[in-house]
PDB file of all heavy atoms in Angstrom:
ATOM      1  N   PRO J  26      19.762  69.012  54.008  1.00 40.00           N
ATOM      2  CA  PRO J  26      19.541  67.880  54.911  1.00 40.00           C
ATOM      3  C   PRO J  26      19.616  68.295  56.376  1.00 40.00           C
ATOM      4  O   PRO J  26      20.206  69.307  56.722  1.00 40.00           O
ATOM      5  CB  PRO J  26      20.694  66.936  54.567  1.00 40.00           C
ATOM      6  CG  PRO J  26      21.754  67.826  54.040  1.00 40.00           C
ATOM      7  CD  PRO J  26      21.049  68.968  53.351  1.00 40.00           C
ATOM      8  N   LEU J  27      18.994  67.474  57.207  1.00 40.00           N
ATOM      9  CA  LEU J  27      19.117  67.646  58.648  1.00 40.00           C
ATOM     10  C   LEU J  27      20.547  67.303  59.049  1.00 40.00           C
ATOM     11  O   LEU J  27      21.265  66.661  58.287  1.00 40.00           O
ATOM     12  CB  LEU J  27      18.149  66.702  59.368  1.00 40.00           C
ATOM     13  CG  LEU J  27      16.668  67.005  59.206  1.00 40.00           C
ATOM     14  CD1 LEU J  27      15.854  65.854  59.791  1.00 40.00           C
ATOM     15  CD2 LEU J  27      16.298  68.305  59.875  1.00 40.00           C
ATOM     16  N   PRO J  28      20.977  67.683  60.233  1.00 44.00           N
ATOM     17  CA  PRO J  28      22.312  67.259  60.666  1.00 44.00           C
ATOM     18  C   PRO J  28      22.447  65.743  60.568  1.00 44.00           C
ATOM     19  O   PRO J  28      21.487  65.016  60.794  1.00 44.00           O
ATOM     20  CB  PRO J  28      22.375  67.724  62.125  1.00 44.00           C
ATOM     21  CG  PRO J  28      21.391  68.836  62.207  1.00 44.00           C
ATOM     22  CD  PRO J  28      20.311  68.513  61.212  1.00 44.00           C
ATOM     23  N   VAL J  29      23.627  65.293  60.236  1.00 41.00           N
ATOM     24  CA  VAL J  29      23.871  63.866  60.010  1.00 41.00           C
ATOM     25  C   VAL J  29      23.431  63.025  61.197  1.00 41.00           C
ATOM     26  O   VAL J  29      22.836  61.985  61.044  1.00 41.00           O
ATOM     27  CB  VAL J  29      25.370  63.629  59.712  1.00 41.00           C
ATOM     28  CG1 VAL J  29      25.660  62.154  59.623  1.00 41.00           C
ATOM     29  CG2 VAL J  29      25.747  64.321  58.422  1.00 41.00           C
ATOM     30  N   SER J  30      23.692  63.493  62.415  1.00 50.00           N
ATOM     31  CA  SER J  30      23.375  62.692  63.585  1.00 50.00           C
ATOM     32  C   SER J  30      21.881  62.414  63.689  1.00 50.00           C
ATOM     33  O   SER J  30      21.482  61.330  64.066  1.00 50.00           O
ATOM     34  CB  SER J  30      23.867  63.366  64.858  1.00 50.00           C
ATOM     35  OG  SER J  30      23.249  64.632  65.011  1.00 50.00           O
ATOM     36  N   ASN J  31      21.030  63.391  63.349  1.00 70.00           N
ATOM     37  CA  ASN J  31      19.587  63.164  63.411  1.00 70.00           C
ATOM     38  C   ASN J  31      19.173  62.054  62.459  1.00 70.00           C
ATOM     39  O   ASN J  31      18.476  61.126  62.846  1.00 70.00           O
ATOM     40  CB  ASN J  31      18.822  64.435  63.041  1.00 70.00           C
ATOM     41  CG  ASN J  31      18.743  65.422  64.176  1.00 70.00           C
ATOM     42  OD1 ASN J  31      19.448  65.303  65.161  1.00 70.00           O
ATOM     43  ND2 ASN J  31      17.885  66.400  64.026  1.00 70.00           N
ATOM     44  N   ARG J  32      19.581  62.165  61.195  1.00 77.00           N
ATOM     45  CA  ARG J  32      19.176  61.168  60.198  1.00 77.00           C
ATOM     46  C   ARG J  32      19.725  59.795  60.548  1.00 77.00           C
ATOM     47  O   ARG J  32      19.019  58.796  60.482  1.00 77.00           O
ATOM     48  CB  ARG J  32      19.660  61.570  58.813  1.00 77.00           C
ATOM     49  CG  ARG J  32      18.865  62.686  58.203  1.00 77.00           C
ATOM     50  CD  ARG J  32      19.184  62.811  56.755  1.00 77.00           C
ATOM     51  NE  ARG J  32      20.581  62.510  56.486  1.00 77.00           N
ATOM     52  CZ  ARG J  32      21.276  62.998  55.509  1.00 77.00           C
ATOM     53  NH1 ARG J  32      20.738  63.836  54.676  1.00 77.00           N
ATOM     54  NH2 ARG J  32      22.546  62.670  55.323  1.00 77.00           N
ATOM     55  N   THR J  33      20.985  59.727  60.883  1.00 77.00           N
ATOM     56  CA  THR J  33      21.609  58.442  61.189  1.00 77.00           C
ATOM     57  C   THR J  33      20.986  57.831  62.441  1.00 77.00           C
ATOM     58  O   THR J  33      20.710  56.639  62.486  1.00 77.00           O
ATOM     59  CB  THR J  33      23.126  58.605  61.385  1.00 77.00           C
ATOM     60  OG1 THR J  33      23.645  59.291  60.255  1.00 77.00           O
ATOM     61  CG2 THR J  33      23.811  57.272  61.525  1.00 77.00           C
ATOM     62  N   PHE J  34      20.758  58.656  63.449  1.00 80.00           N
ATOM     63  CA  PHE J  34      20.126  58.173  64.681  1.00 80.00           C
ATOM     64  C   PHE J  34      18.735  57.626  64.381  1.00 80.00           C
ATOM     65  O   PHE J  34      18.385  56.529  64.807  1.00 80.00           O
ATOM     66  CB  PHE J  34      20.033  59.285  65.724  1.00 80.00           C
ATOM     67  CG  PHE J  34      19.096  58.963  66.849  1.00 80.00           C
ATOM     68  CD1 PHE J  34      19.428  58.007  67.782  1.00 80.00           C
ATOM     69  CD2 PHE J  34      17.854  59.583  66.939  1.00 80.00           C
ATOM     70  CE1 PHE J  34      18.546  57.678  68.808  1.00 80.00           C
ATOM     71  CE2 PHE J  34      16.976  59.264  67.944  1.00 80.00           C
ATOM     72  CZ  PHE J  34      17.326  58.311  68.891  1.00 80.00           C
ATOM     73  N   CYS J  35      17.941  58.376  63.632  1.00 85.00           N
ATOM     74  CA  CYS J  35      16.563  57.958  63.342  1.00 85.00           C
ATOM     75  C   CYS J  35      16.539  56.665  62.542  1.00 85.00           C
ATOM     76  O   CYS J  35      15.694  55.800  62.782  1.00 85.00           O
ATOM     77  CB  CYS J  35      15.815  59.070  62.605  1.00 85.00           C
ATOM     78  SG  CYS J  35      15.587  60.546  63.637  1.00 85.00           S
ATOM     79  N   ARG J  36      17.462  56.529  61.594  1.00 86.00           N
ATOM     80  CA  ARG J  36      17.540  55.296  60.801  1.00 86.00           C
ATOM     81  C   ARG J  36      17.955  54.110  61.670  1.00 86.00           C
ATOM     82  O   ARG J  36      17.470  53.003  61.478  1.00 86.00           O
ATOM     83  CB  ARG J  36      18.553  55.464  59.672  1.00 86.00           C
ATOM     84  CG  ARG J  36      17.944  55.726  58.338  1.00 86.00           C
ATOM     85  CD  ARG J  36      18.955  55.543  57.227  1.00 86.00           C
ATOM     86  NE  ARG J  36      20.274  56.017  57.557  1.00 86.00           N
ATOM     87  CZ  ARG J  36      20.837  57.114  57.086  1.00 86.00           C
ATOM     88  NH1 ARG J  36      20.199  57.855  56.227  1.00 86.00           N
ATOM     89  NH2 ARG J  36      22.042  57.473  57.450  1.00 86.00           N
ATOM     90  N   GLY J  37      18.858  54.334  62.604  1.00 88.00           N
ATOM     91  CA  GLY J  37      19.389  53.233  63.407  1.00 88.00           C
ATOM     92  C   GLY J  37      18.642  52.969  64.696  1.00 88.00           C
ATOM     93  O   GLY J  37      19.001  52.058  65.443  1.00 88.00           O
ATOM     94  N   PHE J  38      17.584  53.749  64.954  1.00 89.00           N
ATOM     95  CA  PHE J  38      16.881  53.620  66.241  1.00 89.00           C
ATOM     96  C   PHE J  38      16.384  52.199  66.503  1.00 89.00           C
ATOM     97  O   PHE J  38      16.603  51.647  67.572  1.00 89.00           O
ATOM     98  CB  PHE J  38      15.707  54.603  66.323  1.00 89.00           C
ATOM     99  CG  PHE J  38      14.836  54.360  67.519  1.00 89.00           C
ATOM    100  CD1 PHE J  38      15.237  54.788  68.763  1.00 89.00           C
ATOM    101  CD2 PHE J  38      13.650  53.647  67.406  1.00 89.00           C
ATOM    102  CE1 PHE J  38      14.456  54.539  69.879  1.00 89.00           C
ATOM    103  CE2 PHE J  38      12.867  53.400  68.512  1.00 89.00           C
ATOM    104  CZ  PHE J  38      13.271  53.847  69.756  1.00 89.00           C
ATOM    105  N   MET J  41      19.195  49.906  67.373  1.00 94.00           N
ATOM    106  CA  MET J  41      19.710  50.204  68.716  1.00 94.00           C
ATOM    107  C   MET J  41      18.797  49.598  69.774  1.00 94.00           C
ATOM    108  O   MET J  41      19.275  48.979  70.736  1.00 94.00           O
ATOM    109  CB  MET J  41      19.806  51.712  68.936  1.00 94.00           C
ATOM    110  CG  MET J  41      20.916  52.384  68.191  1.00 94.00           C
ATOM    111  SD  MET J  41      20.911  54.162  68.567  1.00 94.00           S
ATOM    112  CE  MET J  41      21.753  54.801  67.129  1.00 94.00           C
ATOM    113  N   LYS J  89      20.112  66.913  75.457  1.00 86.00           N
ATOM    114  CA  LYS J  89      20.186  67.185  74.019  1.00 86.00           C
ATOM    115  C   LYS J  89      20.643  65.927  73.279  1.00 86.00           C
ATOM    116  O   LYS J  89      21.326  65.081  73.840  1.00 86.00           O
ATOM    117  CB  LYS J  89      21.176  68.325  73.745  1.00 86.00           C
ATOM    118  CG  LYS J  89      20.854  69.608  74.483  1.00 86.00           C
ATOM    119  CD  LYS J  89      19.656  70.277  73.875  1.00 86.00           C
ATOM    120  CE  LYS J  89      19.403  71.607  74.536  1.00 86.00           C
ATOM    121  NZ  LYS J  89      18.053  71.815  74.939  1.00 86.00           N
ATOM    122  N   LEU J  90      20.311  65.850  71.981  1.00 85.00           N
ATOM    123  CA  LEU J  90      20.587  64.653  71.180  1.00 85.00           C
ATOM    124  C   LEU J  90      22.061  64.267  71.197  1.00 85.00           C
ATOM    125  O   LEU J  90      22.411  63.146  71.562  1.00 85.00           O
ATOM    126  CB  LEU J  90      20.110  64.853  69.743  1.00 85.00           C
ATOM    127  CG  LEU J  90      20.374  63.679  68.792  1.00 85.00           C
ATOM    128  CD1 LEU J  90      19.556  62.466  69.193  1.00 85.00           C
ATOM    129  CD2 LEU J  90      20.058  64.062  67.358  1.00 85.00           C
ATOM    130  N   ASN J  91      22.946  65.173  70.809  1.00 87.00           N
ATOM    131  CA  ASN J  91      24.368  64.815  70.726  1.00 87.00           C
ATOM    132  C   ASN J  91      24.957  64.484  72.089  1.00 87.00           C
ATOM    133  O   ASN J  91      25.759  63.561  72.217  1.00 87.00           O
ATOM    134  CB  ASN J  91      25.167  65.919  70.031  1.00 87.00           C
ATOM    135  CG  ASN J  91      24.956  65.918  68.535  1.00 87.00           C
ATOM    136  OD1 ASN J  91      24.693  64.882  67.947  1.00 87.00           O
ATOM    137  ND2 ASN J  91      25.058  67.074  67.926  1.00 87.00           N
ATOM    138  N   ALA J  92      24.547  65.217  73.117  1.00 88.00           N
ATOM    139  CA  ALA J  92      25.038  64.924  74.471  1.00 88.00           C
ATOM    140  C   ALA J  92      24.555  63.548  74.920  1.00 88.00           C
ATOM    141  O   ALA J  92      25.306  62.773  75.517  1.00 88.00           O
ATOM    142  CB  ALA J  92      24.574  66.001  75.446  1.00 88.00           C
ATOM    143  N   LEU J  94      23.634  60.946  72.986  1.00 91.00           N
ATOM    144  CA  LEU J  94      24.294  59.885  72.221  1.00 91.00           C
ATOM    145  C   LEU J  94      25.746  59.716  72.662  1.00 91.00           C
ATOM    146  O   LEU J  94      26.247  58.591  72.740  1.00 91.00           O
ATOM    147  CB  LEU J  94      24.204  60.177  70.724  1.00 91.00           C
ATOM    148  CG  LEU J  94      22.795  60.145  70.121  1.00 91.00           C
ATOM    149  CD1 LEU J  94      22.831  60.512  68.644  1.00 91.00           C
ATOM    150  CD2 LEU J  94      22.124  58.798  70.325  1.00 91.00           C
ATOM    151  N   SER J  95      26.419  60.825  72.967  1.00 92.00           N
ATOM    152  CA  SER J  95      27.805  60.747  73.469  1.00 92.00           C
ATOM    153  C   SER J  95      27.851  60.000  74.794  1.00 92.00           C
ATOM    154  O   SER J  95      28.709  59.141  75.012  1.00 92.00           O
ATOM    155  CB  SER J  95      28.385  62.144  73.660  1.00 92.00           C
ATOM    156  OG  SER J  95      28.571  62.776  72.430  1.00 92.00           O
ATOM    157  N   LEU J 138      26.665  51.582  66.171  1.00 93.00           N
ATOM    158  CA  LEU J 138      25.487  52.354  65.762  1.00 93.00           C
ATOM    159  C   LEU J 138      25.523  53.760  66.366  1.00 93.00           C
ATOM    160  O   LEU J 138      25.224  54.748  65.687  1.00 93.00           O
ATOM    161  CB  LEU J 138      24.202  51.645  66.208  1.00 93.00           C
ATOM    162  CG  LEU J 138      23.852  50.370  65.465  1.00 93.00           C
ATOM    163  CD1 LEU J 138      22.783  49.583  66.213  1.00 93.00           C
ATOM    164  CD2 LEU J 138      23.378  50.690  64.054  1.00 93.00           C
ATOM    165  N   LEU J 139      25.894  53.846  67.631  1.00 92.00           N
ATOM    166  CA  LEU J 139      25.966  55.156  68.292  1.00 92.00           C
ATOM    167  C   LEU J 139      27.073  56.003  67.682  1.00 92.00           C
ATOM    168  O   LEU J 139      26.897  57.199  67.444  1.00 92.00           O
ATOM    169  CB  LEU J 139      26.196  54.979  69.797  1.00 92.00           C
ATOM    170  CG  LEU J 139      25.014  54.435  70.584  1.00 92.00           C
ATOM    171  CD1 LEU J 139      25.458  53.972  71.964  1.00 92.00           C
ATOM    172  CD2 LEU J 139      23.906  55.481  70.687  1.00 92.00           C
ATOM    173  N   GLN J 140      28.210  55.383  67.423  1.00 91.00           N
ATOM    174  CA  GLN J 140      29.347  56.101  66.846  1.00 91.00           C
ATOM    175  C   GLN J 140      28.992  56.708  65.491  1.00 91.00           C
ATOM    176  O   GLN J 140      29.370  57.835  65.193  1.00 91.00           O
ATOM    177  CB  GLN J 140      30.537  55.165  66.715  1.00 91.00           C
ATOM    178  CG  GLN J 140      31.795  55.826  66.218  1.00 91.00           C
ATOM    179  CD  GLN J 140      32.929  54.829  66.086  1.00 91.00           C
ATOM    180  OE1 GLN J 140      32.717  53.657  65.808  1.00 91.00           O
ATOM    181  NE2 GLN J 140      34.144  55.302  66.292  1.00 91.00           N
ATOM    182  N   SER J 141      28.235  55.978  64.684  1.00 89.00           N
ATOM    183  CA  SER J 141      27.865  56.506  63.368  1.00 89.00           C
ATOM    184  C   SER J 141      26.862  57.651  63.481  1.00 89.00           C
ATOM    185  O   SER J 141      26.723  58.438  62.557  1.00 89.00           O
ATOM    186  CB  SER J 141      27.314  55.391  62.482  1.00 89.00           C
ATOM    187  OG  SER J 141      26.100  54.898  62.999  1.00 89.00           O
ATOM    188  N   SER J 142      26.163  57.758  64.612  1.00 87.00           N
ATOM    189  CA  SER J 142      25.209  58.844  64.820  1.00 87.00           C
ATOM    190  C   SER J 142      25.860  60.093  65.402  1.00 87.00           C
ATOM    191  O   SER J 142      25.256  61.158  65.397  1.00 87.00           O
ATOM    192  CB  SER J 142      24.093  58.400  65.765  1.00 87.00           C
ATOM    193  OG  SER J 142      23.358  57.351  65.212  1.00 87.00           O
ATOM    194  N   LEU J 143      27.068  59.956  65.913  1.00 87.00           N
ATOM    195  CA  LEU J 143      27.738  61.085  66.569  1.00 87.00           C
ATOM    196  C   LEU J 143      28.452  61.969  65.554  1.00 87.00           C
ATOM    197  O   LEU J 143      29.036  61.480  64.597  1.00 87.00           O
ATOM    198  CB  LEU J 143      28.760  60.574  67.585  1.00 87.00           C
ATOM    199  CG  LEU J 143      28.178  59.916  68.828  1.00 87.00           C
ATOM    200  CD1 LEU J 143      29.276  59.216  69.611  1.00 87.00           C
ATOM    201  CD2 LEU J 143      27.489  60.942  69.697  1.00 87.00           C
ATOM    202  N   GLN J 144      28.416  63.267  65.811  1.00 78.00           N
ATOM    203  CA  GLN J 144      29.165  64.186  64.969  1.00 78.00           C
ATOM    204  C   GLN J 144      30.641  64.156  65.343  1.00 78.00           C
ATOM    205  O   GLN J 144      31.501  64.379  64.523  1.00 78.00           O
ATOM    206  CB  GLN J 144      28.602  65.600  65.117  1.00 78.00           C
ATOM    207  CG  GLN J 144      27.220  65.714  64.519  1.00 78.00           C
ATOM    208  CD  GLN J 144      26.592  67.067  64.769  1.00 78.00           C
ATOM    209  OE1 GLN J 144      27.060  67.841  65.583  1.00 78.00           O
ATOM    210  NE2 GLN J 144      25.516  67.354  64.055  1.00 78.00           N
ATOM    211  N   GLN J 145      30.914  63.889  66.614  1.00 82.00           N
ATOM    212  CA  GLN J 145      32.301  63.797  67.079  1.00 82.00           C
ATOM    213  C   GLN J 145      32.360  62.720  68.148  1.00 82.00           C
ATOM    214  O   GLN J 145      31.557  62.703  69.073  1.00 82.00           O
ATOM    215  CB  GLN J 145      32.744  65.139  67.668  1.00 82.00           C
ATOM    216  CG  GLN J 145      34.159  65.123  68.160  1.00 82.00           C
ATOM    217  CD  GLN J 145      34.563  66.490  68.719  1.00 82.00           C
ATOM    218  OE1 GLN J 145      33.855  67.477  68.568  1.00 82.00           O
ATOM    219  NE2 GLN J 145      35.702  66.534  69.370  1.00 82.00           N
ATOM    220  N   LEU J 185      16.385  56.622  74.398  1.00 92.00           N
ATOM    221  CA  LEU J 185      16.279  56.534  72.941  1.00 92.00           C
ATOM    222  C   LEU J 185      14.842  56.767  72.469  1.00 92.00           C
ATOM    223  O   LEU J 185      14.619  57.416  71.442  1.00 92.00           O
ATOM    224  CB  LEU J 185      16.784  55.179  72.455  1.00 92.00           C
ATOM    225  CG  LEU J 185      18.297  54.959  72.539  1.00 92.00           C
ATOM    226  CD1 LEU J 185      18.651  53.529  72.155  1.00 92.00           C
ATOM    227  CD2 LEU J 185      19.056  55.945  71.678  1.00 92.00           C
ATOM    228  N   LEU J 188      14.291  60.489  72.614  1.00 90.00           N
ATOM    229  CA  LEU J 188      15.019  61.162  71.527  1.00 90.00           C
ATOM    230  C   LEU J 188      14.342  60.912  70.190  1.00 90.00           C
ATOM    231  O   LEU J 188      14.248  61.811  69.361  1.00 90.00           O
ATOM    232  CB  LEU J 188      16.480  60.679  71.488  1.00 90.00           C
ATOM    233  CG  LEU J 188      17.346  61.102  72.660  1.00 90.00           C
ATOM    234  CD1 LEU J 188      18.702  60.429  72.582  1.00 90.00           C
ATOM    235  CD2 LEU J 188      17.495  62.609  72.735  1.00 90.00           C
ATOM    236  N   HIS J 192      13.016  63.943  67.944  1.00 83.00           N
ATOM    237  CA  HIS J 192      13.879  64.278  66.808  1.00 83.00           C
ATOM    238  C   HIS J 192      13.542  63.577  65.494  1.00 83.00           C
ATOM    239  O   HIS J 192      14.113  63.916  64.463  1.00 83.00           O
ATOM    240  CB  HIS J 192      15.349  63.969  67.146  1.00 83.00           C
ATOM    241  CG  HIS J 192      15.898  64.858  68.196  1.00 83.00           C
ATOM    242  ND1 HIS J 192      16.343  66.137  67.953  1.00 83.00           N
ATOM    243  CD2 HIS J 192      16.052  64.664  69.532  1.00 83.00           C
ATOM    244  CE1 HIS J 192      16.760  66.691  69.066  1.00 83.00           C
ATOM    245  NE2 HIS J 192      16.586  65.818  70.039  1.00 83.00           N
ATOM    246  N   CYS J 193      12.659  62.587  65.520  1.00 85.00           N
ATOM    247  CA  CYS J 193      12.428  61.790  64.307  1.00 85.00           C
ATOM    248  C   CYS J 193      11.021  61.896  63.754  1.00 85.00           C
ATOM    249  O   CYS J 193      10.675  61.169  62.842  1.00 85.00           O
ATOM    250  CB  CYS J 193      12.755  60.321  64.586  1.00 85.00           C
ATOM    251  SG  CYS J 193      14.458  60.052  65.082  1.00 85.00           S
TER     252      CYS J 193
END
Side-chain angles (χ1 to χ4, degrees):
L27 292 171
V29 174
S30 60
N31 280 14
R32 285 193 325 208
T33 308
F34 165 71
C35 294
R36 258 194 322 253
F38 171 78
M41 287 181 203
K89 303 287 185 229
L90 179 66
N91 284 331
L94 294 177
S95 292
L138 289 166
L139 289 166
Q140 184 181 31
S141 66
S142 297
L143 290 169
Q144 291 175 346
Q145 180 179 350
L185 289 174
L188 292 173
H192 292 280
C193 300

